[in-house]
Amino acid sequence: MRRHRTNPDEVFQEMLQAARELLAVRTPLDAELMVSDMIGAWWGKRVKGGDVEQVLGEGLVDYAAKAGTPASLTLLICLAYLGTARQGAKAEGAALAMMEGGVARPGWADRVGAVKPTGCYVSRDAYGDQDTVICTFAYRWGEATADRPQDRHALVLVVDHNMNGMARDAWVSSHVEKLLDQARTEAEADPMLLFEEIEPQQARALLESAMKATIGAQELDGRERGTSQRAAKRARPSNTVPKTPPPVSDSYSAYHAFARSRLKALPPGRKRPAPLHIEAPYSRERRAMLAAEFLSSDAAEHLSDPSAASRCADHIIDYGCEQDFNRPMRVSPVKCETFLLDWLPRKVMLSRAEQEAMPHVLSAWVRFAAGRTGLPERGLRATQDAVWEATAKFPEAYRDPTSFGLDLPLLERLLPDGDLSALARRVFAFPFLQGMHGDIDLDKLDPADQADRRTLLRFDHVGDIDEEHLAWHEEIATRLWDGDPPQLWEAAQRLLDLGHDRHDVLHVLIEIAERIGGDPEELAAALDDIADIPDEI
């Protein structure tokens, strides 16, 4: 996410000028789409002084209310439906006050948001990579014509399950029947596609899940753009910088408010169903049984190192459960490539034997899973081809952690959980883990153990140190070890990149943590705002 530095009043004035065009539109649908596009300009961005929806969204409501013009009233009417709950309540109150004061409104104003669902559909590929959700609506009243039967329209969201189920794109079409006929025709002609009608409750659950994941992806994208490459360079050679999530499309930003508003028209049901792509969680026992079934199957009979194959199978199953909505049996070209070339190099510490075995185990897993799930032969071949193409790149993508200059026993102390992405921040938190200090052997101290942490941090300081101050160093070191909150390590990297000394950086982090206290949201926000070390620190 990019920081938004424009003066809010300038933004509000520009939007109010653009709102004059609302007076010329003929339908509530046109007005809703225009306002959704307007407020999409700030969606997902960062502003100083608070949440963007509060600073800009609620600020725009206040600005429009003060203007008191027909254009500002029209904007408020749309914001009452398209805005967040707080924006909607404020906009509705301001609009009612203006109407009571005699400000004119367009004839379609009463129909804004007054829609009912007329059908929900999903088009999905056989791999399970992507769902295209189509929800159709019509306005509840208004004169219907042959060209515009109650302004019927379709909201289309593309949900990418290889990107945590986020909504990658969105658009609105008024050509509903043409859109549905095209989706049916494509599914009939291609065995790798499925098109079906779903219940409105299922559509709502799927869209809510996707829109929530998209907000999370925006926040992660904003953090990782500035920090993941720095972290990677500290922990590994530059040619293995992990991929960052792609930005959300401008189209989705423009339609986000409209999509959020249409969710209100979809019934949640008494017991809200889980989204279609999310399966029941796998217990540890169930994962172990699945791994045993795989290893005893014909697909795995050629694997020469049973021990390494077993550990590789565990990683494949864990990835499917934890990163793919409890679907370890789902295989696709994109999923396999992402697992092999992106997730493993960032997240998992593999032994040499596991590094050699992994591509072969993954290929065997594809055959095993495809047989269980009924993936068409065409899909199996394409997935196997993708695995072997990725295999040639795997040795370069996955660099043995011992090649970073750290020996295996030290790596095992720093990464008892095997989380390779934690290496850089843990090395920063505990730089002294080897050698003798007096009669104490640092190689025998465990940085994962609370008692040993205090001893290790004491050796990180010259001379006597106040116990309270040492306790704060331990607090920061523990948070860095756990990655909680992620903004802590991100802030440290920004300061290190400016050339500041490690201890000065730690003292800034301590000062902020001590000042903020236990509120996690305030702590994350304060860390996000760090751009440099103040002179007084």
Side-chain angles (χ1 to χ4, degrees):
M1 289 185 280
R2 301 179 298 275
R3 290 194 177 275
H4 194 97
R5 300 187 182 277
T6 307
N7 184 330
D9 283 348
E10 295 176 0
V11 175
F12 301 152
Q13 183 179 9
E14 183 179 339
M15 287 188 165
L16 212 55
Q17 289 176 346
R20 295 174 184 174
E21 297 180 20
L22 291 169
L23 300 175
V25 303
R26 300 177 58 187
T27 70
L29 178 61
D30 291 336
E32 291 176 46
L33 293 176
M34 185 180 296
V35 174
S36 181
D37 186 39
M38 288 171 59
I39 62 181
W42 72 59
W43 183 80
K45 293 181 170 59
R46 297 287 298 280
V47 294
K48 289 204 171 194
D51 178 73
V52 66
E53 297 291 355
Q54 179 180 357
V55 174
L56 293 184
E58 296 176 33
L60 176 61
V61 172
D62 294 336
Y63 193 89
K66 291 177 183 177
T69 63
S72 66
L73 172 59
T74 305
L75 179 59
L76 288 170
I77 290 171
C78 293
L79 286 173
Y81 182 68
L82 294 170
T84 63
R86 285 174 56 92
Q87 293 166 10
K90 292 186 70 173
E92 183 177 7
L96 289 172
M98 290 175 65
M99 286 187 286
E100 291 175 359
V103 179
R105 58 177 175 164
W108 47 258
D110 289 339
R111 300 175 60 205
V112 169
V115 297
K116 59 184 178 181
T118 58
C120 296
Y121 311 84
V122 63
S123 176
R124 55 167 49 94
D125 61 71
Y127 295 120
D129 283 336
Q130 182 173 286
D131 288 343
T132 300
V133 186
I134 305 172
C135 297
T136 63
F137 302 88
Y139 283 85
R140 291 183 181 276
W141 66 82
E143 183 178 353
T145 66
D147 295 333
R148 194 177 318 214
Q150 293 183 294
D151 292 318
R152 193 174 178 214
H153 53 280
L155 168 68
V156 184
L157 260 74
V158 179
V159 182
D160 187 339
H161 298 306
N162 289 311
M163 288 303 301
N164 299 317
M166 63 180 279
R168 291 291 300 277
D169 205 355
W171 67 90
V172 173
S173 174
S174 57
H175 303 288
V176 176
E177 291 305 325
K178 181 179 179 181
L179 178 68
L180 295 176
D181 287 343
Q182 181 179 353
R184 292 190 189 99
T185 301
E186 290 177 350
E188 290 171 358
D190 188 347
M192 294 294 292
L193 290 177
L194 171 69
F195 180 76
E196 62 182 344
E197 187 169 6
I198 58 176
E199 293 296 324
Q201 294 89 341
Q202 292 177 312
R204 177 165 180 162
L206 178 55
L207 295 184
E208 284 181 338
S209 174
M211 294 176 73
K212 181 178 179 181
T214 307
I215 293 174
Q218 280 287 85
E219 294 172 349
L220 180 62
D221 181 47
R223 293 201 303 266
E224 295 237 338
R225 277 180 186 278
T227 60
S228 66
Q229 287 145 335
R230 291 191 291 263
K233 288 175 183 176
R234 291 192 177 93
R236 58 180 62 239
S238 59
N239 65 341
T240 57
V241 173
K243 295 186 290 186
T244 58
V248 175
S249 70
D250 291 340
S251 177
Y252 180 81
S253 299
Y255 289 108
H256 171 78
F258 184 88
R260 180 177 58 198
S261 72
R262 286 302 183 262
L263 284 180
K264 302 173 186 176
L266 295 174
R270 291 184 178 179
K271 184 177 180 181
R272 186 170 300 177
L276 296 172
H277 60 286
I278 297 180
E279 298 185 5
Y282 274 63
S283 65
R284 271 295 159 202
E285 292 76 13
R286 188 181 176 194
R287 296 187 194 191
M289 288 179 61
L290 181 57
E293 291 176 19
F294 162 67
L295 293 170
S296 62
S297 69
D298 292 342
E301 64 180 357
H302 69 286
L303 299 176
S304 58
D305 186 339
S307 178
S310 176
R311 292 191 296 272
C312 289
D314 289 340
H315 293 311
I316 293 170
I317 294 171
D318 288 345
Y319 178 76
C321 292
E322 295 162 14
Q323 304 295 319
D324 191 28
F325 309 100
N326 298 304
R327 299 188 295 179
M329 300 295 286
R330 187 182 81 82
V331 293
S332 78
V334 175
K335 180 180 177 180
C336 290
E337 180 180 331
T338 302
F339 169 76
L340 200 60
L341 301 184
D342 180 40
W343 189 76
L344 275 176
R346 288 189 297 112
K347 293 293 294 181
V348 180
M349 185 173 70
L350 299 175
S351 68
R352 287 288 179 88
E354 292 164 2
Q355 293 172 44
E356 294 177 1
M358 180 58 79
H360 305 281
V361 176
L362 181 59
S363 178
W365 180 267
V366 169
R367 292 194 299 275
F368 170 75
R372 294 292 190 90
T373 61
L375 182 67
E377 181 65 25
R378 172 178 151 196
L380 171 60
R381 290 197 305 270
T383 305
Q384 288 283 49
D385 289 344
V387 170
W388 290 118
E389 287 180 12
T391 297
K393 304 173 185 176
F394 182 63
E396 181 180 359
Y398 192 95
R399 297 296 297 273
D400 190 328
T402 57
S403 69
F404 304 159
L406 303 175
D407 59 37
L408 186 58
L410 179 57
L411 278 168
E412 290 173 344
R413 291 163 66 204
L414 286 166
L415 304 176
D417 51 4
D419 184 2
L420 194 54
S421 65
L423 180 59
R425 67 173 189 267
R426 291 177 181 175
V427 169
F428 174 78
F430 297 98
F432 299 106
L433 294 171
Q434 294 178 301
M436 297 294 296
H437 193 283
D439 57 352
I440 296 178
D441 185 355
L442 300 184
D443 291 83
K444 295 182 178 179
L445 297 179
D446 182 5
D449 180 82
Q450 185 175 2
D452 286 354
R453 282 179 179 174
R454 178 68 66 98
T455 304
L456 288 166
L457 292 171
R458 192 180 301 279
F459 294 143
D460 193 16
H461 293 78
V462 178
D464 295 333
I465 180 173
D466 178 78
E467 288 300 317
E468 182 179 356
H469 185 66
L470 184 61
W472 274 110
H473 272 279
E474 185 178 355
E475 168 75 12
I476 296 299
T478 299
R479 286 183 173 275
L480 287 167
W481 181 275
D482 296 334
D484 179 30
Q487 290 86 351
L488 190 72
W489 176 228
E490 294 157 11
Q493 291 175 91
R494 290 198 299 274
L495 297 177
L496 290 169
D497 286 343
L498 292 172
H500 293 295
D501 176 79
R502 173 179 169 275
H503 267 287
D504 289 340
V505 172
L506 287 170
H507 289 161
V508 170
L509 301 180
I510 288 172
E511 188 276 329
I512 292 174
E514 190 173 8
R515 171 167 50 86
I516 297 298
D519 189 313
E521 291 186 2
E522 286 191 19
L523 177 59
L527 292 166
D528 259 344
D529 284 339
I530 295 178
D532 204 345
I533 293 182
D535 293 336
E536 62 270 17
I537 296 297

